[in-house]
Amino acid sequence: MHETSTDDTTDFGYERVRKEEKAGRVREVFDSVASRYDLMNDLMSGGMHRLWKRFTIELSGVRPGQTVLDIAGGTGDLAAKFSQRVGPDGHVILADINAAMLSVGRDRLIDKGALNNISVSQADAQFLPYADNSIDCITIAFGLRNVTDKALALRSMYRILKPGGRLLVLEFSKPTSPLLSQAYDAYSFSALPFMGKLITNDADSYRYLAESIRKHPDQETLLEMVEDAGFVDCRYHNMTGGIVAIHRGVKG
Amino acid sequence: MQHDPAIIAGVTLALETAINETISLSLGTREALAQKCGACIAIYCSSPEVSVYFFVNDSGTVSLQNYSEAEITVSLSGSWRDFQTVAAANDAAGALVNSNISVTGDTAALIEIQQIVSDMDIDWEAPLVASLGHVAGHQLANALRGFWRWRTDSHRRISRQVSEFIIEEGRLSPSKHEIDAFLSDVDDIVLKVDRLESRIKRLQRQLKPASEPS
Ligand SMILES: C[S@@+](CC[C@H](N)C(=O)[O-])C[C@H]1O[C@@H](n2cnc3c(N)ncnc32)[C@H](O)[C@@H]1O
């Protein structure tokens, strides 16, 4: 590789772009897929994403009355589930940097009649606009890999969590077996953009997704990053052969 | 051995759906269970190592989880084989006492819930009569009653149906409607590509005489 990466560039899939540019490029990707995002999720993961999320919710240990932030929450899958968990005395914030995703999410939550204890807010994971020590649990599902400065985002999450509060990062990771890894590469680099093309008429966005998955830190690296942000009791669970992993950290 | 949490979650979801379906078809069961709302029965199975938590909701349905930090009313621990033996026995309560399964917590609650479950009277008739009318509905209900008895007798029932439940009941895969929409989009694109191809050919034909005089 002969890329001359300086400090002010960052990954955009396999390309390198200027740091200021990445957020805009990521936004374009999600703008273009927002309306059909849920269908794509089901088709691409064969429905598995629902099980990954189900286990994430269980690991959260969230109880009635608590406050939960789902950042990079997109169309609100997790927020809807948390809304039932925390009940009328609790509060769920569905936050995302992208207005198009949030508006699809808001419509879906209204359809489900789930809005009473949920608020929807546009926010960047790196600069969370919430008070210190105010949140019981933060989840970020398939979102961290899109964030320009992941360490900054993790520190920002740490800041707003209450002591004893929990962070859960659900993200694509590194398959544990080489065979699975190859099959998965073939799938994500050819089948995925192809399906993206058919459904949302946007193969490039899904190529970006495949590339960003490859560029995302593996299990151990992400675990270190979570620890570096100050979290304690950090651990991860592999799911579906390590295609995805849930990392958990607690604010001490 | 550690199992893949996603697979366990899938099986658990299928089980949850099956149980709630059954509860909703059984007269009075939801009301009876709702009385026990808040109760949590934990099953800790060794070899294979799996935990399942059964929560009774206030609506009389149950939610299943594989991980929980909530307070547990009563827990049962044993091997898969122990649980299988108890589940297959005619007198489950008697079999439990004589098994290797250890029970901790509020055993009275366990017995009450077990009572509700064994009293379950599956009513296929009401929903069927409502949708099909008297004669057909009644006949179908009779057939289903026989089928249900046969199904309850079969231990293999759950595993055989897990995959169907995952797909159909758990709504884990896209609905027919979503797939139809997807396929019609594919048809659309195919048509557009066909049209584009013929347009390109036409253009090529038009361009040829102009670009090949040399
Ligand atoms: C793949 S989607 C995941 C959505 C949802 N959490 C799910 O699991 O279905 C990634 C989301 O991350 C959001 N995102 C990207 N960068 C972000 C940032 N810096 N802060 C907050 N959200 C961001 C995108 O707008 C997009 O909605």
Side-chain angles (χ1 to χ4, degrees):
Chain A
M1 275 220 192
H2 47 265
E3 57 182 339
T4 50
S5 72
T6 57
D7 265 348
D8 49 356
T9 70
T10 183
D11 298 316
F12 179 78
Y14 283 176
E15 289 174 61
R16 287 200 70 86
V17 298
R18 291 213 332 283
K19 272 190 177 164
E20 311 83 272
E21 243 178 83
K22 172 158 173 164
R25 299 278 292 269
V26 170
R27 193 181 57 237
E28 282 168 25
V29 167
F30 287 103
D31 271 345
S32 74
V33 300
S35 64
R36 298 222 172 158
Y37 177 78
D38 295 319
L39 174 58
M40 267 320 277
N41 248 354
D42 272 337
L43 285 172
M44 291 187 322
S45 71
M48 288 304 282
H49 75 108
R50 297 184 191 225
L51 299 178
W52 299 331
K53 287 174 182 163
R54 182 179 166 104
F55 190 59
T56 307
I57 302 239
E58 291 179 11
L59 280 185
S60 74
V62 162
R63 295 189 302 276
Q66 291 192 319
T67 302
V68 180
L69 167 68
D70 183 31
I71 178 72
T75 54
D77 274 359
L78 283 176
K81 291 263 159 48
F82 278 127
S83 149
Q84 294 170 2
R85 285 237 155 189
V86 300
D89 299 330
H91 183 49
V92 179
I93 306 164
L94 166 62
D96 198 289
I97 202 169
N98 185 293
M101 292 292 272
L102 280 180
S103 93
V104 175
R106 186 187 317 233
D107 290 349
R108 267 195 25 183
L109 293 171
I110 291 172
D111 287 348
K112 288 186 181 169
L115 261 185
N116 298 337
N117 56 1
I118 304 185
S119 50
V120 176
S121 92
Q122 194 170 1
D124 184 336
Q126 302 166 107
F127 311 100
L128 291 167
Y130 311 103
D132 294 4
N133 308 317
S134 62
I135 311 269
D136 292 294
C137 176
I138 300 180
T139 51
I140 177 163
F142 306 112
L144 193 62
R145 69 172 186 279
N146 302 304
V147 174
T148 313
D149 188 340
K150 298 178 181 58
L152 182 63
L154 289 170
R155 285 198 302 275
S156 155
M157 295 174 201
Y158 185 87
R159 176 184 65 75
I160 62 172
L161 271 177
K162 291 180 188 167
R166 220 173 262 196
L167 166 69
L168 290 162
V169 181
L170 177 63
E171 191 51 89
F172 289 105
S173 208
K174 197 166 177 299
T176 44
S177 102
L179 202 66
L180 181 60
S181 176
Q182 275 172 21
Y184 182 57
D185 271 357
Y187 169 76
S188 56
F189 282 104
S190 29
L192 218 136
F194 176 70
M195 291 203 291
K197 173 88 192 135
L198 288 184
I199 300 180
T200 64
N201 215 354
D202 186 356
D204 285 346
S205 290
Y206 284 95
R207 182 157 308 114
Y208 159 73
L209 291 187
E211 291 175 2
S212 69
I213 290 167
R214 251 352 127 297
K215 280 282 181 186
H216 188 73
D218 65 11
Q219 285 85 336
E220 290 299 329
T221 314
L222 182 56
L223 189 70
E224 265 173 40
M225 293 174 70
V226 175
E227 281 167 351
D228 287 347
F231 289 93
V232 296
D233 276 347
C234 302
R235 61 179 80 138
Y236 65 84
H237 300 258
N238 279 330
M239 293 192 287
T240 317
I243 289 179
V244 300
I246 304 184
H247 283 70
R248 192 196 88 159
V250 177
K251 178 163 173 176
Chain B
M1 198 190 124
Q2 266 278 322
H3 293 269
D4 198 310
I7 293 174
I8 305 286
V11 176
T12 307
L13 175 57
L15 193 62
E16 178 185 283
T17 315
I19 292 173
N20 284 326
E21 197 89 338
T22 310
I23 289 174
S24 72
L25 287 171
S26 159
L27 268 181
T29 301
R30 280 180 74 153
E31 289 77 3
L33 273 179
Q35 303 287 317
K36 299 267 96 202
C37 126
C40 171
I41 302 179
I43 296 201
Y44 301 119
C45 180
S46 58
S47 63
E49 203 184 315
V50 178
S51 313
V52 186
Y53 301 83
F54 295 76
F55 290 91
V56 182
N57 303 323
D58 50 8
S59 57
T61 55
V62 295
S63 309
L64 271 55
Q65 294 189 16
N66 300 115
Y67 177 92
S68 171
E69 293 165 18
E71 201 174 306
I72 288 158
T73 314
V74 55
S75 69
L76 300 127
S77 329
S79 71
W80 174 247
R81 191 168 279 278
D82 298 331
F83 284 113
Q84 232 179 352
T85 316
V86 171
N90 280 330
D91 170 20
L96 183 61
V97 176
N98 296 315
S99 72
N100 292 326
I101 296 176
S102 67
V103 181
T104 342
D106 180 358
T107 39
L110 181 67
I111 292 170
E112 278 172 57
I113 291 174
Q114 197 265 333
Q115 200 62 52
I116 297 172
V117 171
S118 62
D119 283 352
M120 270 203 314
D121 168 27
I122 311 287
D123 179 21
W124 304 99
E125 198 144 353
L128 289 172
V129 167
S131 58
L132 293 174
H134 252 314
V135 178
H138 181 68
Q139 278 170 2
L140 242 181
N142 273 341
L144 279 174
R145 233 174 251 131
F147 177 66
W148 173 251
R149 231 169 272 136
W150 172 79
R151 285 209 319 176
T152 8
D153 287 342
S154 154
H155 317 324
R156 277 168 312 190
R157 150 178 142 252
I158 290 297
S159 60
R160 190 170 44 75
Q161 291 195 323
V162 157
S163 58
E164 287 162 39
F165 267 114
I166 290 185
I167 293 167
E168 290 163 23
E169 316 278 339
R171 284 267 300 113
L172 282 182
S173 51
S175 70
K176 182 170 174 321
H177 166 74
E178 286 166 320
I179 291 177
D180 281 350
F182 170 64
L183 291 180
S184 99
D185 284 353
V186 174
D187 284 348
D188 237 35
I189 290 178
V190 170
L191 264 180
K192 278 187 190 144
V193 170
D194 280 351
R195 257 181 251 136
L196 192 67
E197 199 181 344
S198 65
R199 238 168 69 201
I200 292 172
K201 285 203 179 120
R202 212 166 48 232
L203 279 172
Q204 276 175 337
R205 275 198 303 276
Q206 286 170 359
L207 285 173
K208 256 193 186 141
S211 59
E212 277 183 330
S214 53

